[in-house]
Amino acid sequence: MRTVDPVRVGILIDYVAETATPAALIQSVFAFVARELREQGVLERDVEFVTEAVKGLPEGSFRAVRDAYYRLVDAGCVAAFGPYISENGAPLREDVENLAEVPILTVAGTETMLGEWVFGLPAGSMEEEPIIMAQVAWYDGCRSAGLVYEDSLIGHEYLRSARAACAALGIRVTGEVAVMQVEQEKRAAMAQLAEHKPDAILHVGFGLGLLGINKALAELGWMPRRYTTTAFEMASGNAMWRNEIAGWIGLDQYDERNEVARDFFKRYNAATGSTEVYYLPALWYDVGRMLLTAVATARPLTGRGVKEALERIKMMPAATGAPGTRMRFGKFIRHGWVGSEFLVARRVLDDASAIVMHGTIEGLVPPAG
């Protein structure tokens, strides 16, 4: 009997934490998706996942990410997931586009990364997250805010959007302070914002700039409402991060009301023995289905064939976000989420014991326009 070679798909990990990398979870969920598609008769060939895990920006280098991408190309991958950090994805776009051979699907939030060969299911959005944050803060009764932004590519993208979002709602910005995209002392920055005592603090950035803010505010004896981006998701399953952002309200991609997500976790946890139920496995499930559906339907099975197959995927129900969120691409569509609630607001309880859906003050209506 003739053997059929597996098709190769790349996984490019560009953020390696000191304690662990997400490679094992991504590989597990992608393999689960591949098995289901094989059982359904959608995917005809086995899939071999080729993983490159490197330390990219903000704590490593972009060159490591660029070199990892070319190694995946040389390994014969017809498509790749990653990178997922915007500081790495934005400059990598030029290499991917110039090569015009292997498409990538990213969860990075910057739209500057998207292109003919670069598709996105962003884990947030520099353009949209501040709009949602400002709306939630407004509903919570906040009419003034201090902005904390990380001094980085995405921090400045977020800041521009946060200013516009606050202005659109009539939220007065009382001050702006920059923090480094690495852990540092935050008391001086928080003291600067505290001079005007705004109703809220809005933090925008990758997330490492959150470390130490609660401590600094406690030392100052000032604890206003606090809002952040999808950096909030680092608290999922991580006790250290829950303690760091106890009392914060942030944006998440998991919504327990989503039946697609519930059905996925029931099947995946039964198959793997996992008990975890949070945003990340659901996000990798959505990314894996989009990527492997394109691989399965590519004609021919080349990088260009996968790119064109991604463009044909329409209205796939998503496990990510609120009920009704869907996914699709197109010839001039590279942002894959369909629906206004692919992000939802959640809150870490003040004692850091749990993360819950965030309720807002009833009876408030945002201003027109």
Side-chain angles (χ1 to χ4, degrees):
M1 183 176 179
R2 297 177 65 87
T3 60
V4 178
D5 292 339
V7 58
R8 288 187 162 189
V9 173
I11 299 174
L12 204 174
I13 307 295
D14 58 326
Y15 181 70
V16 180
E18 292 182 0
T19 54
T21 74
L25 178 60
I26 296 173
Q27 291 167 342
S28 174
V29 177
F30 281 14
F32 174 80
V33 172
R35 286 195 300 272
E36 288 202 328
L37 292 179
R38 286 278 277 163
E39 291 168 0
Q40 295 164 11
V42 175
L43 188 61
E44 296 178 353
R45 294 167 63 167
D46 288 333
V47 180
E48 178 184 347
F49 296 105
V50 182
T51 300
E52 289 281 347
V54 298
K55 192 174 184 179
L57 297 171
E59 297 177 323
S61 71
F62 164 69
R63 181 170 183 171
V65 178
R66 183 198 65 188
D67 292 349
Y69 171 72
Y70 282 108
R71 287 196 294 271
L72 292 175
V73 174
D74 291 341
C77 296
V78 297
F81 161 69
Y84 56 86
I85 304 300
S86 292
E87 276 85 355
N88 300 311
L92 186 64
R93 175 184 180 272
E94 182 176 355
D95 292 274
V96 178
E97 297 289 306
N98 288 341
L99 184 64
E101 184 178 337
V102 176
I104 60 176
L105 176 56
T106 178
V107 294
T110 179
E111 294 185 3
T112 63
M113 184 176 177
L114 304 179
E116 183 179 358
W117 290 80
V118 183
F119 297 76
L121 286 175
S125 162
M126 271 88 259
E127 303 294 333
E128 293 160 300
E129 289 178 64
I131 296 173
I132 301 170
M133 291 165 59
Q135 285 277 2
V136 173
W138 197 96
Y139 275 113
D140 283 343
C142 300
R143 299 296 180 266
S144 60
L147 305 183
V148 181
Y149 66 96
E150 296 180 13
D151 195 5
S152 63
L153 180 147
I154 65 171
H156 285 272
E157 285 191 36
Y158 270 130
L159 178 62
R160 181 185 66 248
S161 301
R163 289 167 176 161
C166 288
L169 290 168
I171 295 176
R172 181 170 56 90
V173 175
T174 61
E176 300 175 357
V177 294
V179 295
M180 299 297 292
Q181 201 176 24
V182 294
E183 187 173 356
Q184 66 170 176
E185 189 276 328
K186 300 295 193 309
R187 180 162 180 158
M190 294 306 103
Q192 184 177 334
L193 290 184
E195 290 179 6
H196 300 285
K197 292 293 190 296
D199 298 329
I201 290 174
L202 272 59
H203 160 272
V204 289
F206 175 68
L208 296 179
L210 284 165
L211 297 174
I213 290 182
N214 270 3
K215 177 183 177 182
L217 293 173
E219 291 173 353
L220 293 169
W222 177 57
M223 198 67 69
R225 286 186 177 270
R226 303 171 305 287
Y227 301 84
T228 190
T229 62
T230 48
F232 178 90
E233 292 175 325
M234 287 189 278
S236 299
N238 188 311
M240 184 278 289
W241 271 101
R242 282 200 303 274
N243 283 312
E244 282 287 344
I245 62 172
W248 283 73
I249 298 150
L251 302 185
D252 201 337
Q253 295 168 285
Y254 172 66
D255 188 330
E256 51 266 60
R257 301 170 300 173
N258 188 327
E259 292 184 6
V260 178
R262 290 206 304 267
D263 289 344
F264 157 68
F265 279 112
K266 182 178 180 180
R267 301 193 313 277
Y268 177 74
N269 288 352
T272 64
S274 173
T275 58
E276 299 282 4
V277 177
Y278 68 112
Y279 85 98
L280 203 49
L283 177 61
W284 298 152
Y285 176 61
D286 285 343
V287 171
R289 282 189 297 149
M290 291 289 273
L291 199 58
L292 294 178
T293 296
V295 168
T297 57
R299 301 294 184 271
L301 185 51
T302 62
R304 182 171 291 278
V306 173
K307 178 184 81 74
E308 294 172 352
L310 279 166
E311 293 173 340
R312 292 192 294 268
I313 297 176
K314 310 297 179 188
M315 302 306 288
M316 181 183 289
T320 299
T325 302
R326 292 178 177 266
M327 302 177 288
R328 59 81 178 93
F329 290 120
K331 284 190 175 295
F332 298 100
I333 301 172
R334 291 299 185 266
H335 185 299
W337 301 118
V338 180
S340 62
E341 289 186 284
F342 77 97
L343 299 173
V344 296
R346 299 179 75 87
R347 178 168 54 91
V348 177
L349 297 181
D350 290 341
D351 63 2
S353 62
I355 300 173
V356 299
M357 290 290 286
H358 175 59
T360 56
I361 297 174
E362 297 181 357
L364 292 178
V365 179

